[in-house]
Amino acid sequence: MARYPETEPYDHGMLDVGDGNSVYWETSGNPHGKPALVLHGGPGSSAGPNLRRYFDPAAYRIVLLDQRGAGRSLPPASDPTTDMSVNTTAHLMADLERLRTHLGIERWLVWGVSWGSVLGLRYAQTHPGAVSELVLTGVATGSNDEVALLTRGLGSLFPEAHARFLAGLPADERDGNLAAAYNRLLESPDPEVRERAALAWTDWETATIPAPPGSVERFRDPAFRLGFARTVTHYWGNGHFLDEGEGRDNDRGVVLRDAHLLKGIPGTLVQGSLDLGNLLGVVWRLHHAWPGSELVIVDEGGHDTGATGDDALVAATDRYARRRD
């Protein structure tokens, strides 16, 4: 079951979400179809046109957006003067609600990849009335344990790359929160310090998370590289802002702890068996704590589950297209 052919948006715009930010959005497919929201990864990536292809354009009203500071949204995170204090999970969820209201949508299926799965899960937990179904891949939950695995735990599997990663930090910053330490460099007033830190961060990411060539290619663009690294480290270094204002510990995961809040929302999790970011068994635990979810394991698939994973994702959206709330 291949992905659907490429489609072009029939509408798009920039939505003022406050705090001096505007987010880019677009809609494609059937204007009268089942609404579906697509959440890109990163945080700090963007919503590429290939993401539309997981949906039948005759059945879905497909909504893509670039999250704050990413892609075509303004101001870009690559601009060192952009205020990142107003770029948090709570802000992004408020943006989703503004967009839903702006487009006149009551409920929508939420599709997310990687960081987009974290955002989609927390959005569904806190706004269950707005979410009809969830389809997630490259699943994560945004816990501090996952960040520790990705920044430090994988060092034993990639010792040479990790040594270079640590060498990008001052010696007295190598024992603590590595994402936060890199974020401090990426907030430096010195552009050379920022550029070296962005390159070191993305070199580590590409060493540990095998990705399609196009995904690696984007890191060769200095502006994208800087904005991406700045946004990722901002989130990873601050617990993904999942315990903001709640006084909660996000080490094992606020999202996983609150999985029971997803009861009543059908969901499909498509995960590669060789996704190194899931060595903690988070997806398995999430599935078993979430009544009504299904877990599809793609043998020999990584963070990108390839053609087999694409088949499972399309099968899920096709099935949910026929579902009535």
Side-chain angles (χ1 to χ4, degrees), residues 40-46 67-71 75-79 82-84 87-89 92 115 179 182-183 186-187 198 201-202 205 223-241:
H40 65 70
S45 185
S46 63
Q67 297 156 28
R68 288 194 184 202
S78 57
D79 181 344
T82 295
D83 180 7
M84 297 298 287
N87 192 331
T88 70
T89 301
L92 298 189
W115 153 252
Y182 260 100
N183 186 249
L186 288 158
E187 296 295 340
W201 182 270
T202 55
E205 177 150 333
F224 177 85
R225 185 168 64 223
L226 179 59
F228 178 87
R230 186 184 184 202
T231 307
V232 172
T233 57
H234 172 64
Y235 275 80
W236 287 22
N238 288 285
H240 288 84
F241 301 99

mmCIF file of all heavy atoms in Angstrom, residues 40-46 67-71 75-79 82-84 87-89 92 115 179 182-183 186-187 198 201-202 205 223-241:
data_model
loop_
_atom_site.group_PDB
_atom_site.id
_atom_site.type_symbol
_atom_site.label_atom_id
_atom_site.label_comp_id
_atom_site.label_asym_id
_atom_site.label_seq_id
_atom_site.Cartn_x
_atom_site.Cartn_y
_atom_site.Cartn_z
ATOM 1 N N HIS A 40 4.848 18.071 12.685
ATOM 2 C CA HIS A 40 6.202 17.692 12.283
ATOM 3 C C HIS A 40 7.093 17.458 13.494
ATOM 4 O O HIS A 40 6.743 17.747 14.629
ATOM 5 C CB HIS A 40 6.804 18.736 11.346
ATOM 6 C CG HIS A 40 7.018 20.090 11.969
ATOM 7 N ND1 HIS A 40 7.973 20.332 12.938
ATOM 8 C CD2 HIS A 40 6.413 21.292 11.738
ATOM 9 C CE1 HIS A 40 7.961 21.608 13.265
ATOM 10 N NE2 HIS A 40 7.015 22.225 12.565
ATOM 11 N N GLY A 41 8.269 16.931 13.223
ATOM 12 C CA GLY A 41 9.203 16.578 14.278
ATOM 13 C C GLY A 41 10.148 17.701 14.634
ATOM 14 O O GLY A 41 9.970 18.861 14.308
ATOM 15 N N GLY A 42 11.231 17.312 15.300
ATOM 16 C CA GLY A 42 12.232 18.270 15.737
ATOM 17 C C GLY A 42 12.475 18.161 17.245
ATOM 18 O O GLY A 42 13.113 17.221 17.693
ATOM 19 N N PRO A 43 11.911 19.102 18.013
ATOM 20 C CA PRO A 43 11.215 20.300 17.558
ATOM 21 C C PRO A 43 12.146 21.228 16.772
ATOM 22 O O PRO A 43 13.350 21.254 17.037
ATOM 23 C CB PRO A 43 10.750 20.967 18.851
ATOM 24 C CG PRO A 43 11.493 20.317 19.957
ATOM 25 C CD PRO A 43 12.051 19.030 19.469
ATOM 26 N N GLY A 44 11.567 21.911 15.785
ATOM 27 C CA GLY A 44 12.357 22.835 14.991
ATOM 28 C C GLY A 44 12.492 22.438 13.549
ATOM 29 O O GLY A 44 13.179 23.108 12.780
ATOM 30 N N SER A 45 11.854 21.342 13.149
ATOM 31 C CA SER A 45 11.879 20.944 11.744
ATOM 32 C C SER A 45 10.826 21.763 10.994
ATOM 33 O O SER A 45 10.628 22.932 11.298
ATOM 34 C CB SER A 45 11.609 19.435 11.640
ATOM 35 O OG SER A 45 11.742 18.996 10.314
ATOM 36 N N SER A 46 10.119 21.168 10.046
ATOM 37 C CA SER A 46 9.044 21.869 9.338
ATOM 38 C C SER A 46 8.143 20.834 8.691
ATOM 39 O O SER A 46 8.485 19.647 8.622
ATOM 40 C CB SER A 46 9.602 22.823 8.276
ATOM 41 O OG SER A 46 10.310 22.109 7.276
ATOM 42 N N GLN A 67 5.509 24.824 13.179
ATOM 43 C CA GLN A 67 5.409 25.269 14.567
ATOM 44 C C GLN A 67 6.241 26.531 14.795
ATOM 45 O O GLN A 67 7.059 26.911 13.953
ATOM 46 C CB GLN A 67 5.841 24.131 15.497
ATOM 47 C CG GLN A 67 4.933 22.910 15.399
ATOM 48 C CD GLN A 67 5.599 21.616 15.813
ATOM 49 O OE1 GLN A 67 6.516 21.600 16.638
ATOM 50 N NE2 GLN A 67 5.154 20.505 15.244
ATOM 51 N N ARG A 68 6.022 27.186 15.904
ATOM 52 C CA ARG A 68 6.706 28.455 16.185
ATOM 53 C C ARG A 68 8.206 28.375 15.910
ATOM 54 O O ARG A 68 8.888 27.446 16.338
ATOM 55 C CB ARG A 68 6.503 28.873 17.639
ATOM 56 C CG ARG A 68 5.123 29.347 17.970
ATOM 57 C CD ARG A 68 5.078 30.046 19.318
ATOM 58 N NE ARG A 68 3.706 30.412 19.643
ATOM 59 C CZ ARG A 68 3.357 31.374 20.502
ATOM 60 N NH1 ARG A 68 4.307 32.048 21.137
ATOM 61 N NH2 ARG A 68 2.096 31.640 20.743
ATOM 62 N N GLY A 69 8.691 29.364 15.186
ATOM 63 C CA GLY A 69 10.118 29.473 14.918
ATOM 64 C C GLY A 69 10.650 28.545 13.860
ATOM 65 O O GLY A 69 11.826 28.616 13.501
ATOM 66 N N ALA A 70 9.799 27.647 13.318
ATOM 67 C CA ALA A 70 10.263 26.625 12.373
ATOM 68 C C ALA A 70 9.734 26.900 10.968
ATOM 69 O O ALA A 70 8.678 27.509 10.785
ATOM 70 C CB ALA A 70 9.800 25.246 12.827
ATOM 71 N N GLY A 71 10.468 26.409 9.977
ATOM 72 C CA GLY A 71 10.011 26.483 8.596
ATOM 73 C C GLY A 71 9.675 27.893 8.153
ATOM 74 O O GLY A 71 10.485 28.814 8.258
ATOM 75 N N PRO A 75 8.829 34.907 13.940
ATOM 76 C CA PRO A 75 10.210 35.011 13.476
ATOM 77 C C PRO A 75 10.921 33.664 13.570
ATOM 78 O O PRO A 75 10.534 32.826 14.396
ATOM 79 C CB PRO A 75 10.825 36.027 14.435
ATOM 80 C CG PRO A 75 10.052 35.832 15.706
ATOM 81 C CD PRO A 75 8.646 35.510 15.273
ATOM 82 N N PRO A 76 11.953 33.432 12.763
ATOM 83 C CA PRO A 76 12.634 32.130 12.783
ATOM 84 C C PRO A 76 13.541 31.966 13.993
ATOM 85 O O PRO A 76 14.137 32.926 14.483
ATOM 86 C CB PRO A 76 13.458 32.172 11.491
ATOM 87 C CG PRO A 76 13.746 33.621 11.274
ATOM 88 C CD PRO A 76 12.516 34.352 11.750
ATOM 89 N N ALA A 77 13.634 30.735 14.458
ATOM 90 C CA ALA A 77 14.523 30.450 15.587
ATOM 91 C C ALA A 77 15.980 30.661 15.212
ATOM 92 O O ALA A 77 16.829 30.810 16.102
ATOM 93 C CB ALA A 77 14.305 29.024 16.074
ATOM 94 N N SER A 78 16.286 30.676 13.929
ATOM 95 C CA SER A 78 17.669 30.900 13.489
ATOM 96 C C SER A 78 18.118 32.336 13.712
ATOM 97 O O SER A 78 19.320 32.621 13.680
ATOM 98 C CB SER A 78 17.804 30.543 12.004
ATOM 99 O OG SER A 78 16.894 31.299 11.219
ATOM 100 N N ASP A 79 17.173 33.246 13.936
ATOM 101 C CA ASP A 79 17.504 34.634 14.241
ATOM 102 C C ASP A 79 17.819 34.720 15.734
ATOM 103 O O ASP A 79 16.949 34.449 16.575
ATOM 104 C CB ASP A 79 16.315 35.536 13.895
ATOM 105 C CG ASP A 79 16.591 37.009 14.157
ATOM 106 O OD1 ASP A 79 17.554 37.340 14.883
ATOM 107 O OD2 ASP A 79 15.817 37.847 13.659
ATOM 108 N N THR A 82 15.303 36.235 18.192
ATOM 109 C CA THR A 82 13.984 35.645 18.420
ATOM 110 C C THR A 82 13.858 35.172 19.862
ATOM 111 O O THR A 82 14.710 34.445 20.364
ATOM 112 C CB THR A 82 13.739 34.475 17.458
ATOM 113 O OG1 THR A 82 13.700 34.972 16.118
ATOM 114 C CG2 THR A 82 12.435 33.769 17.757
ATOM 115 N N ASP A 83 12.783 35.580 20.513
ATOM 116 C CA ASP A 83 12.550 35.266 21.917
ATOM 117 C C ASP A 83 12.046 33.833 22.056
ATOM 118 O O ASP A 83 10.908 33.532 21.703
ATOM 119 C CB ASP A 83 11.521 36.247 22.485
ATOM 120 C CG ASP A 83 11.214 36.011 23.956
ATOM 121 O OD1 ASP A 83 11.887 35.165 24.584
ATOM 122 O OD2 ASP A 83 10.289 36.670 24.479
ATOM 123 N N MET A 84 12.863 32.944 22.588
ATOM 124 C CA MET A 84 12.476 31.546 22.732
ATOM 125 C C MET A 84 11.676 31.295 24.011
ATOM 126 O O MET A 84 11.128 30.198 24.183
ATOM 127 C CB MET A 84 13.720 30.658 22.725
ATOM 128 C CG MET A 84 14.500 30.698 21.411
ATOM 129 S SD MET A 84 13.544 30.113 19.988
ATOM 130 C CE MET A 84 13.519 28.343 20.309
ATOM 131 N N ASN A 87 8.260 30.125 23.274
ATOM 132 C CA ASN A 87 8.188 28.918 22.440
ATOM 133 C C ASN A 87 8.287 27.721 23.385
ATOM 134 O O ASN A 87 9.372 27.245 23.710
ATOM 135 C CB ASN A 87 9.330 28.907 21.421
ATOM 136 C CG ASN A 87 9.150 27.842 20.362
ATOM 137 O OD1 ASN A 87 8.545 26.799 20.609
ATOM 138 N ND2 ASN A 87 9.694 28.082 19.180
ATOM 139 N N THR A 88 7.134 27.275 23.867
ATOM 140 C CA THR A 88 7.061 26.145 24.793
ATOM 141 C C THR A 88 5.922 25.231 24.350
ATOM 142 O O THR A 88 5.127 25.586 23.472
ATOM 143 C CB THR A 88 6.798 26.597 26.244
ATOM 144 O OG1 THR A 88 5.448 27.099 26.338
ATOM 145 C CG2 THR A 88 7.769 27.683 26.684
ATOM 146 N N THR A 89 5.827 24.077 24.966
ATOM 147 C CA THR A 89 4.747 23.148 24.625
ATOM 148 C C THR A 89 3.382 23.789 24.850
ATOM 149 O O THR A 89 2.467 23.621 24.032
ATOM 150 C CB THR A 89 4.876 21.866 25.467
ATOM 151 O OG1 THR A 89 6.150 21.261 25.197
ATOM 152 C CG2 THR A 89 3.787 20.876 25.118
ATOM 153 N N LEU A 92 2.665 26.073 21.960
ATOM 154 C CA LEU A 92 2.347 25.344 20.729
ATOM 155 C C LEU A 92 0.933 24.776 20.773
ATOM 156 O O LEU A 92 0.217 24.792 19.761
ATOM 157 C CB LEU A 92 3.359 24.219 20.499
ATOM 158 C CG LEU A 92 4.820 24.623 20.312
ATOM 159 C CD1 LEU A 92 5.646 23.414 19.864
ATOM 160 C CD2 LEU A 92 4.976 25.755 19.321
ATOM 161 N N TRP A 115 9.085 14.264 17.614
ATOM 162 C CA TRP A 115 8.595 15.303 18.525
ATOM 163 C C TRP A 115 7.107 15.568 18.292
ATOM 164 O O TRP A 115 6.366 15.838 19.241
ATOM 165 C CB TRP A 115 9.388 16.596 18.349
ATOM 166 C CG TRP A 115 8.591 17.815 18.716
ATOM 167 C CD1 TRP A 115 8.077 18.758 17.879
ATOM 168 C CD2 TRP A 115 8.174 18.211 20.040
ATOM 169 N NE1 TRP A 115 7.374 19.711 18.582
ATOM 170 C CE2 TRP A 115 7.417 19.392 19.915
ATOM 171 C CE3 TRP A 115 8.365 17.664 21.323
ATOM 172 C CZ2 TRP A 115 6.855 20.043 21.004
ATOM 173 C CZ3 TRP A 115 7.800 18.312 22.409
ATOM 174 C CH2 TRP A 115 7.059 19.487 22.250
ATOM 175 N N ALA A 179 21.970 18.761 26.807
ATOM 176 C CA ALA A 179 21.131 19.587 25.926
ATOM 177 C C ALA A 179 21.113 21.031 26.421
ATOM 178 O O ALA A 179 21.232 21.978 25.632
ATOM 179 C CB ALA A 179 19.718 19.019 25.855
ATOM 180 N N TYR A 182 24.443 22.701 25.620
ATOM 181 C CA TYR A 182 24.540 23.119 24.219
ATOM 182 C C TYR A 182 23.633 24.314 23.947
ATOM 183 O O TYR A 182 23.970 25.202 23.155
ATOM 184 C CB TYR A 182 24.196 21.952 23.282
ATOM 185 C CG TYR A 182 25.436 21.289 22.733
ATOM 186 C CD1 TYR A 182 25.916 20.108 23.268
ATOM 187 C CD2 TYR A 182 26.167 21.879 21.697
ATOM 188 C CE1 TYR A 182 27.070 19.512 22.786
ATOM 189 C CE2 TYR A 182 27.318 21.296 21.212
ATOM 190 C CZ TYR A 182 27.774 20.108 21.748
ATOM 191 O OH TYR A 182 28.922 19.535 21.272
ATOM 192 N N ASN A 183 22.485 24.353 24.606
ATOM 193 C CA ASN A 183 21.592 25.492 24.396
ATOM 194 C C ASN A 183 22.241 26.795 24.859
ATOM 195 O O ASN A 183 22.050 27.847 24.220
ATOM 196 C CB ASN A 183 20.267 25.270 25.125
ATOM 197 C CG ASN A 183 19.261 26.352 24.807
ATOM 198 O OD1 ASN A 183 18.911 27.170 25.656
ATOM 199 N ND2 ASN A 183 18.780 26.379 23.569
ATOM 200 N N LEU A 186 24.319 27.905 22.113
ATOM 201 C CA LEU A 186 23.507 28.367 20.982
ATOM 202 C C LEU A 186 22.832 29.705 21.256
ATOM 203 O O LEU A 186 22.324 30.339 20.328
ATOM 204 C CB LEU A 186 22.468 27.295 20.634
ATOM 205 C CG LEU A 186 23.078 26.064 19.965
ATOM 206 C CD1 LEU A 186 22.175 24.849 20.131
ATOM 207 C CD2 LEU A 186 23.334 26.341 18.484
ATOM 208 N N GLU A 187 22.832 30.140 22.514
ATOM 209 C CA GLU A 187 22.321 31.464 22.872
ATOM 210 C C GLU A 187 23.460 32.474 23.036
ATOM 211 O O GLU A 187 23.232 33.616 23.437
ATOM 212 C CB GLU A 187 21.507 31.380 24.164
ATOM 213 C CG GLU A 187 20.243 30.539 24.066
ATOM 214 C CD GLU A 187 19.218 31.121 23.110
ATOM 215 O OE1 GLU A 187 19.280 32.336 22.797
ATOM 216 O OE2 GLU A 187 18.341 30.353 22.650
ATOM 217 N N ALA A 198 25.910 24.442 16.797
ATOM 218 C CA ALA A 198 24.864 23.883 15.928
ATOM 219 C C ALA A 198 25.406 22.725 15.109
ATOM 220 O O ALA A 198 24.742 21.688 14.950
ATOM 221 C CB ALA A 198 24.309 24.969 15.015
ATOM 222 N N TRP A 201 25.991 19.672 17.361
ATOM 223 C CA TRP A 201 24.727 19.047 17.759
ATOM 224 C C TRP A 201 24.149 18.210 16.617
ATOM 225 O O TRP A 201 23.757 17.067 16.814
ATOM 226 C CB TRP A 201 23.713 20.103 18.203
ATOM 227 C CG TRP A 201 22.429 19.463 18.648
ATOM 228 C CD1 TRP A 201 21.339 19.163 17.874
ATOM 229 C CD2 TRP A 201 22.135 18.987 19.958
ATOM 230 N NE1 TRP A 201 20.379 18.532 18.630
ATOM 231 C CE2 TRP A 201 20.838 18.414 19.913
ATOM 232 C CE3 TRP A 201 22.823 19.004 21.178
ATOM 233 C CZ2 TRP A 201 20.232 17.857 21.036
ATOM 234 C CZ3 TRP A 201 22.222 18.441 22.294
ATOM 235 C CH2 TRP A 201 20.936 17.879 22.215
ATOM 236 N N THR A 202 24.090 18.774 15.414
ATOM 237 C CA THR A 202 23.493 18.039 14.298
ATOM 238 C C THR A 202 24.387 16.889 13.837
ATOM 239 O O THR A 202 23.884 15.870 13.357
ATOM 240 C CB THR A 202 23.175 18.978 13.124
ATOM 241 O OG1 THR A 202 24.349 19.694 12.736
ATOM 242 C CG2 THR A 202 22.080 19.966 13.508
ATOM 243 N N GLU A 205 23.387 14.123 16.113
ATOM 244 C CA GLU A 205 22.063 13.603 15.765
ATOM 245 C C GLU A 205 22.132 12.694 14.541
ATOM 246 O O GLU A 205 21.531 11.625 14.516
ATOM 247 C CB GLU A 205 21.079 14.753 15.520
ATOM 248 C CG GLU A 205 19.718 14.256 15.081
ATOM 249 C CD GLU A 205 18.578 15.154 15.502
ATOM 250 O OE1 GLU A 205 18.701 15.867 16.507
ATOM 251 O OE2 GLU A 205 17.548 15.121 14.822
ATOM 252 N N ALA A 223 21.444 28.171 8.258
ATOM 253 C CA ALA A 223 20.305 28.793 8.928
ATOM 254 C C ALA A 223 19.381 27.723 9.511
ATOM 255 O O ALA A 223 18.948 27.823 10.667
ATOM 256 C CB ALA A 223 19.540 29.690 7.964
ATOM 257 N N PHE A 224 19.091 26.675 8.715
ATOM 258 C CA PHE A 224 18.247 25.605 9.236
ATOM 259 C C PHE A 224 18.937 24.918 10.405
ATOM 260 O O PHE A 224 18.303 24.651 11.441
ATOM 261 C CB PHE A 224 17.925 24.576 8.156
ATOM 262 C CG PHE A 224 17.123 23.416 8.684
ATOM 263 C CD1 PHE A 224 15.746 23.486 8.767
ATOM 264 C CD2 PHE A 224 17.755 22.262 9.151
ATOM 265 C CE1 PHE A 224 15.000 22.436 9.298
ATOM 266 C CE2 PHE A 224 17.022 21.210 9.683
ATOM 267 C CZ PHE A 224 15.646 21.299 9.747
ATOM 268 N N ARG A 225 20.212 24.643 10.237
ATOM 269 C CA ARG A 225 20.971 23.933 11.275
ATOM 270 C C ARG A 225 20.918 24.693 12.602
ATOM 271 O O ARG A 225 20.685 24.105 13.666
ATOM 272 C CB ARG A 225 22.404 23.765 10.801
ATOM 273 C CG ARG A 225 23.293 22.948 11.708
ATOM 274 C CD ARG A 225 24.581 22.610 10.977
ATOM 275 N NE ARG A 225 25.380 23.761 10.643
ATOM 276 C CZ ARG A 225 25.988 23.953 9.470
ATOM 277 N NH1 ARG A 225 25.869 23.051 8.502
ATOM 278 N NH2 ARG A 225 26.721 25.030 9.260
ATOM 279 N N LEU A 226 21.098 26.008 12.537
ATOM 280 C CA LEU A 226 21.110 26.817 13.750
ATOM 281 C C LEU A 226 19.727 26.863 14.387
ATOM 282 O O LEU A 226 19.585 26.662 15.607
ATOM 283 C CB LEU A 226 21.585 28.229 13.434
ATOM 284 C CG LEU A 226 21.615 29.210 14.617
ATOM 285 C CD1 LEU A 226 22.517 28.697 15.723
ATOM 286 C CD2 LEU A 226 22.065 30.588 14.148
ATOM 287 N N GLY A 227 18.691 27.101 13.584
ATOM 288 C CA GLY A 227 17.344 27.165 14.133
ATOM 289 C C GLY A 227 16.892 25.845 14.717
ATOM 290 O O GLY A 227 16.267 25.797 15.784
ATOM 291 N N PHE A 228 17.231 24.757 14.035
ATOM 292 C CA PHE A 228 16.862 23.423 14.509
ATOM 293 C C PHE A 228 17.554 23.107 15.828
ATOM 294 O O PHE A 228 16.903 22.728 16.815
ATOM 295 C CB PHE A 228 17.244 22.390 13.446
ATOM 296 C CG PHE A 228 16.952 20.976 13.834
ATOM 297 C CD1 PHE A 228 15.704 20.418 13.595
ATOM 298 C CD2 PHE A 228 17.922 20.183 14.435
ATOM 299 C CE1 PHE A 228 15.423 19.105 13.957
ATOM 300 C CE2 PHE A 228 17.658 18.875 14.799
ATOM 301 C CZ PHE A 228 16.401 18.340 14.556
ATOM 302 N N ALA A 229 18.879 23.281 15.868
ATOM 303 C CA ALA A 229 19.631 22.946 17.085
ATOM 304 C C ALA A 229 19.206 23.826 18.251
ATOM 305 O O ALA A 229 19.088 23.354 19.391
ATOM 306 C CB ALA A 229 21.123 23.093 16.826
ATOM 307 N N ARG A 230 18.961 25.073 17.968
ATOM 308 C CA ARG A 230 18.542 25.986 19.039
ATOM 309 C C ARG A 230 17.193 25.558 19.618
ATOM 310 O O ARG A 230 17.003 25.575 20.841
ATOM 311 C CB ARG A 230 18.446 27.412 18.493
ATOM 312 C CG ARG A 230 18.168 28.462 19.555
ATOM 313 C CD ARG A 230 17.982 29.837 18.947
ATOM 314 N NE ARG A 230 17.811 30.863 19.968
ATOM 315 C CZ ARG A 230 17.232 32.041 19.757
ATOM 316 N NH1 ARG A 230 16.777 32.347 18.533
ATOM 317 N NH2 ARG A 230 17.119 32.913 20.736
ATOM 318 N N THR A 231 16.270 25.151 18.753
ATOM 319 C CA THR A 231 14.940 24.767 19.225
ATOM 320 C C THR A 231 14.975 23.430 19.956
ATOM 321 O O THR A 231 14.381 23.276 21.034
ATOM 322 C CB THR A 231 13.963 24.697 18.049
ATOM 323 O OG1 THR A 231 13.995 25.930 17.315
ATOM 324 C CG2 THR A 231 12.540 24.453 18.536
ATOM 325 N N VAL A 232 15.667 22.441 19.393
ATOM 326 C CA VAL A 232 15.752 21.132 20.044
ATOM 327 C C VAL A 232 16.363 21.256 21.439
ATOM 328 O O VAL A 232 15.821 20.725 22.419
ATOM 329 C CB VAL A 232 16.577 20.146 19.193
ATOM 330 C CG1 VAL A 232 16.814 18.856 19.969
ATOM 331 C CG2 VAL A 232 15.872 19.824 17.890
ATOM 332 N N THR A 233 17.467 21.946 21.544
ATOM 333 C CA THR A 233 18.134 22.037 22.843
ATOM 334 C C THR A 233 17.319 22.871 23.829
ATOM 335 O O THR A 233 17.356 22.624 25.036
ATOM 336 C CB THR A 233 19.544 22.626 22.702
ATOM 337 O OG1 THR A 233 19.474 23.921 22.069
ATOM 338 C CG2 THR A 233 20.432 21.716 21.862
ATOM 339 N N HIS A 234 16.575 23.834 23.336
ATOM 340 C CA HIS A 234 15.679 24.632 24.180
ATOM 341 C C HIS A 234 14.630 23.729 24.830
ATOM 342 O O HIS A 234 14.373 23.840 26.034
ATOM 343 C CB HIS A 234 15.023 25.702 23.303
ATOM 344 C CG HIS A 234 13.933 26.486 23.949
ATOM 345 N ND1 HIS A 234 14.135 27.322 25.032
ATOM 346 C CD2 HIS A 234 12.596 26.580 23.646
ATOM 347 C CE1 HIS A 234 12.988 27.888 25.367
ATOM 348 N NE2 HIS A 234 12.033 27.455 24.549
ATOM 349 N N TYR A 235 14.056 22.827 24.045
ATOM 350 C CA TYR A 235 13.045 21.907 24.573
ATOM 351 C C TYR A 235 13.671 20.793 25.410
ATOM 352 O O TYR A 235 13.249 20.522 26.538
ATOM 353 C CB TYR A 235 12.207 21.325 23.435
ATOM 354 C CG TYR A 235 11.063 22.215 23.031
ATOM 355 C CD1 TYR A 235 11.262 23.311 22.208
ATOM 356 C CD2 TYR A 235 9.776 21.985 23.501
ATOM 357 C CE1 TYR A 235 10.218 24.151 21.850
ATOM 358 C CE2 TYR A 235 8.717 22.816 23.154
ATOM 359 C CZ TYR A 235 8.945 23.892 22.325
ATOM 360 O OH TYR A 235 7.900 24.724 21.987
ATOM 361 N N TRP A 236 14.677 20.125 24.854
ATOM 362 C CA TRP A 236 15.287 18.994 25.554
ATOM 363 C C TRP A 236 15.937 19.437 26.862
ATOM 364 O O TRP A 236 15.947 18.688 27.839
ATOM 365 C CB TRP A 236 16.327 18.327 24.673
ATOM 366 C CG TRP A 236 15.754 17.533 23.540
ATOM 367 C CD1 TRP A 236 14.525 17.657 22.980
ATOM 368 C CD2 TRP A 236 16.418 16.496 22.822
ATOM 369 N NE1 TRP A 236 14.374 16.760 21.947
ATOM 370 C CE2 TRP A 236 15.521 16.036 21.834
ATOM 371 C CE3 TRP A 236 17.685 15.922 22.905
ATOM 372 C CZ2 TRP A 236 15.851 15.020 20.935
ATOM 373 C CZ3 TRP A 236 18.023 14.915 22.010
ATOM 374 C CH2 TRP A 236 17.108 14.455 21.041
ATOM 375 N N GLY A 237 16.505 20.634 26.864
ATOM 376 C CA GLY A 237 17.177 21.117 28.065
ATOM 377 C C GLY A 237 16.235 21.593 29.148
ATOM 378 O O GLY A 237 16.662 21.882 30.267
ATOM 379 N N ASN A 238 14.935 21.667 28.822
ATOM 380 C CA ASN A 238 13.940 22.153 29.780
ATOM 381 C C ASN A 238 12.782 21.186 29.967
ATOM 382 O O ASN A 238 11.636 21.596 30.181
ATOM 383 C CB ASN A 238 13.402 23.516 29.316
ATOM 384 C CG ASN A 238 14.409 24.634 29.469
ATOM 385 O OD1 ASN A 238 14.674 25.110 30.578
ATOM 386 N ND2 ASN A 238 15.004 25.048 28.358
ATOM 387 N N GLY A 239 13.075 19.893 29.877
ATOM 388 C CA GLY A 239 12.052 18.889 30.109
ATOM 389 C C GLY A 239 10.892 18.949 29.156
ATOM 390 O O GLY A 239 9.774 18.534 29.485
ATOM 391 N N HIS A 240 11.147 19.486 27.945
ATOM 392 C CA HIS A 240 10.091 19.674 26.942
ATOM 393 C C HIS A 240 8.950 20.543 27.470
ATOM 394 O O HIS A 240 7.864 20.552 26.902
ATOM 395 C CB HIS A 240 9.540 18.326 26.451
ATOM 396 C CG HIS A 240 10.484 17.567 25.572
ATOM 397 N ND1 HIS A 240 11.466 16.766 26.094
ATOM 398 C CD2 HIS A 240 10.586 17.464 24.221
ATOM 399 C CE1 HIS A 240 12.149 16.211 25.097
ATOM 400 N NE2 HIS A 240 11.647 16.626 23.954
ATOM 401 N N PHE A 241 9.195 21.249 28.559
ATOM 402 C CA PHE A 241 8.190 22.140 29.156
ATOM 403 C C PHE A 241 6.897 21.391 29.481
ATOM 404 O O PHE A 241 5.811 21.979 29.493
ATOM 405 C CB PHE A 241 7.892 23.326 28.222
ATOM 406 C CG PHE A 241 9.112 24.143 27.905
ATOM 407 C CD1 PHE A 241 9.800 23.963 26.706
ATOM 408 C CD2 PHE A 241 9.603 25.069 28.816
ATOM 409 C CE1 PHE A 241 10.938 24.704 26.418
ATOM 410 C CE2 PHE A 241 10.735 25.824 28.536
ATOM 411 C CZ PHE A 241 11.404 25.632 27.333
#
